[in-house]
């Protein structure tokens, strides 16, 4: 779960949530909440499938969309489509966003040149990823709980300081979400679009990233991990994304533009401030009397969020390399991927945010399309498994998975285990 949350909790929770408010208004937060419910169901399906059809290769559990598409259909080339898409997205396209957010936050906090931040992240990332899956999992299990608790604690303090505004802010979110607020009525479509887009980016449900760490878990029944991953979507959206939104809205530290790139502002509380991480930094600064606390705190939080997400991206890329290649070719390609992800990280750090987000959105898009289309045809085994799990739970048993009994084919790992 820590590995999965390290992928879900990232730039999308801080910069992405703030950007959704900037271009969709406060109502975008409501649509982020809505997409979380759909996302939790999607996360359950894809993560349960990952468990059902996982493999054990070289002492490591491997699984994900490429594996379950191949095993369910019996056609390896279909699994290969996702594996190639994931390899491109996770090793080159997606890491640019995380690196760019880190570099921007560090520049705002310490005036650290972007190239210095990029180089530092590359060095630390390189030291961790060469240690393989177990070192990544160990790092995530320490960093993720710490960073999430610290961030939510600061948000809780700000909410408590502005407790009298809670009804007003909720009213603003709901009225804006349905075009009932006169100020934001003209951007209803943008509220929905940005809420959904940034909601998916933040919780990653349907993208096919979550199933990779889900397959690595040791469980007696696949549904156990499916439910854990569904819960992780709620933790990501309703705790971390909402924490960011409330900090920004309670303090009024945000701008809202009438269309991306048009330059016409509906709300301009921060003249000259670019949409994204800076909104959250200004919000925390406004709440705490310590000069520069918010800028530094958010920069550090974003560093941990984005860094662990990049670690998760590497793990996903490595898993898809394991699907495509065997033997020595696999070892060589893993090294190639390590080099590519480090280059992409540095590239993202030193280039403008617009370029990084464009690459990130392309990476997100190609994975979502391939994975979600596959899930529409692959949902049946997860429903059979859920019914079996619930029956065993009602009987007071610790559920154990037997695919042969349920008529689920090609679940080779579980057949051998039985």
């Amino acid at each position: 779960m820590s590995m999965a949350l390290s992928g879900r909790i990232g730039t999308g929770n801080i910069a992405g949530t703030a950007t959704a408010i900037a271009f969709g208004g406060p109502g975008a937060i409501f649509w982020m909440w809505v997409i979380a419910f759909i996302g939790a169901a999607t996360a359950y399906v894809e993560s349960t499938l990952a468990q059902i059809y996982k493999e054990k290769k070289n002492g490591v559990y491997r699984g994900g969309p490429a594996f379950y598409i191949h095993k369910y259909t019996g056609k390896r080339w279909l699994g290969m489509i996702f594996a190639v898409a994931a390899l491109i997205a996770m090793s080159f396209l997606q890491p640019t966003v995380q690196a760019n957010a880190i570099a921007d936050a560090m520049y705002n906090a310490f005036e650290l040149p972007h190239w210095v931040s990029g180089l530092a992240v590359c060095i630390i990332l390189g030291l961790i990823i060469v240690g393989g899956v177990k070192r990544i999992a160990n790092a995530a299990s320490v960093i993720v709980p710490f960073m999430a608790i610290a961030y939510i604690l600061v948000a809780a303090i700000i909410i408590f300081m502005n407790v009298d505004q809670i009804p007003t802010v909720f009213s603003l979110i709901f009225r804006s979400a349905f075009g009932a607020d006169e100020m934001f009525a003209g951007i209803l479509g943008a509220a929905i679009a940005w809420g959904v887009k940034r909601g998916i980016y933040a919780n990653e449900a349907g993208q096919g990233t979550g199933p990779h760490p889900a397959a690595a878990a040791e469980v007696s029944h696949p549904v156990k991990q499916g439910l854990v991953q569904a819960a992780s979507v709620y933790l990501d959206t309703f705790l971390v994304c909402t924490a960011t939104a409330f900090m920004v809205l309670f303090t009024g530290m945000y701008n809202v533009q009438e269309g991306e790139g048009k330059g016409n502002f509906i709300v301009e509380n921060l003249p000259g401030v670019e949409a994204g991480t800076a909104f959250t930094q200004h919000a925390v600064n406004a709440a705490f009397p310590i000069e520069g606390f918010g800028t530094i705190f958010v920069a550090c939080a974003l560093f941990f969020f984005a860094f662990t997400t990049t670690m998760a991206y590497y793990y996903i890329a490595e898993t898809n390399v394991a699907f495509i290649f065997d033997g020595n070719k696999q070892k060589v390609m893993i090294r190639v991927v390590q080099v590519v992800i480090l280059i992409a990280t540095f590239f993202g750090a030193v280039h403008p945010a617009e370029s990084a987000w464009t690459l990130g959105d392309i990476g997100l898009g190609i994975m979502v399309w391939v994975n979600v289309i596959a899930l529409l045809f692959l949902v049946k085994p997860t429903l059979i498994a859920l019914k079996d799990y619930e029956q065993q739970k009602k009987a007071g048993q610790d559920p154990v998975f037997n695919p042969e009994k349920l008529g689920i084919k090609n679940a080779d790992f579980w057949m051998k285990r039985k």
Side-chain angles (χ1 to χ4, degrees), residues 203-289:
N203 65 47
E204 295 194 340
Q207 187 176 340
T209 51
H212 295 86
E218 181 79 59
V219 292
S220 63
H221 198 289
V223 170
K224 289 184 177 181
Q225 186 59 204
L227 295 175
V228 164
Q229 294 300 325
S232 75
V233 171
Y234 291 130
L235 289 173
D236 173 90
T237 304
F238 289 107
L239 284 181
V240 188
C241 286
T242 303
T244 299
F246 280 178
M247 285 191 287
V248 169
L249 294 175
F250 276 130
T251 58
M253 294 292 111
Y254 64 95
N255 301 325
V256 178
Q257 279 186 251
E258 190 178 357
E260 187 179 3
K262 290 185 178 179
N264 299 322
F265 288 92
I266 298 172
V267 175
E268 192 175 12
N269 295 332
L270 295 171
V273 176
E274 189 177 346
T277 308
F279 285 10
T280 315
Q281 290 177 313
H282 280 281
V284 181
N285 276 335
F288 289 89

Side-chain angles (χ1 to χ4, degrees), residues 90-267:
M90 294 291 98
S91 62
F92 181 69
L93 298 175
Q94 295 279 64
T96 58
V97 176
Q98 311 302 326
N100 184 269
I102 290 173
D104 278 351
M106 289 298 172
Y107 180 79
N108 291 338
F110 309 108
E111 294 190 357
L112 203 64
H114 284 60
W115 72 266
V116 174
S117 296
L119 186 61
V121 171
C122 287
I123 291 171
I124 300 169
L125 180 64
L127 292 173
I128 292 175
I129 64 177
V130 294
V133 175
K134 290 183 180 178
R135 188 178 292 179
I136 294 170
N138 289 337
S141 65
V142 172
I143 296 171
V144 172
F146 163 75
M147 70 182 186
I149 290 169
Y151 190 73
I152 291 167
L153 182 61
V154 168
I157 293 171
I158 294 175
I159 292 168
F160 181 75
M161 291 166 63
N162 298 275
V163 68
D164 58 314
Q165 294 185 43
I166 290 177
T168 305
V169 168
F170 269 106
S171 174
L172 178 63
I173 290 172
F174 283 102
R175 283 186 291 110
S176 302
F178 295 98
D181 187 280
E182 186 177 341
M183 186 179 291
F184 301 110
I187 57 168
L188 174 60
I192 298 171
W194 279 93
V196 170
K197 184 161 62 171
R198 288 294 168 249
I200 293 173
Y201 198 97
N203 65 47
E204 295 194 340
Q207 187 176 340
T209 51
H212 295 86
E218 181 79 59
V219 292
S220 63
H221 198 289
V223 170
K224 289 184 177 181
Q225 186 59 204
L227 295 175
V228 164
Q229 294 300 325
S232 75
V233 171
Y234 291 130
L235 289 173
D236 173 90
T237 304
F238 289 107
L239 284 181
V240 188
C241 286
T242 303
T244 299
F246 280 178
M247 285 191 287
V248 169
L249 294 175
F250 276 130
T251 58
M253 294 292 111
Y254 64 95
N255 301 325
V256 178
Q257 279 186 251
E258 190 178 357
E260 187 179 3
K262 290 185 178 179
N264 299 322
F265 288 92
I266 298 172
V267 175

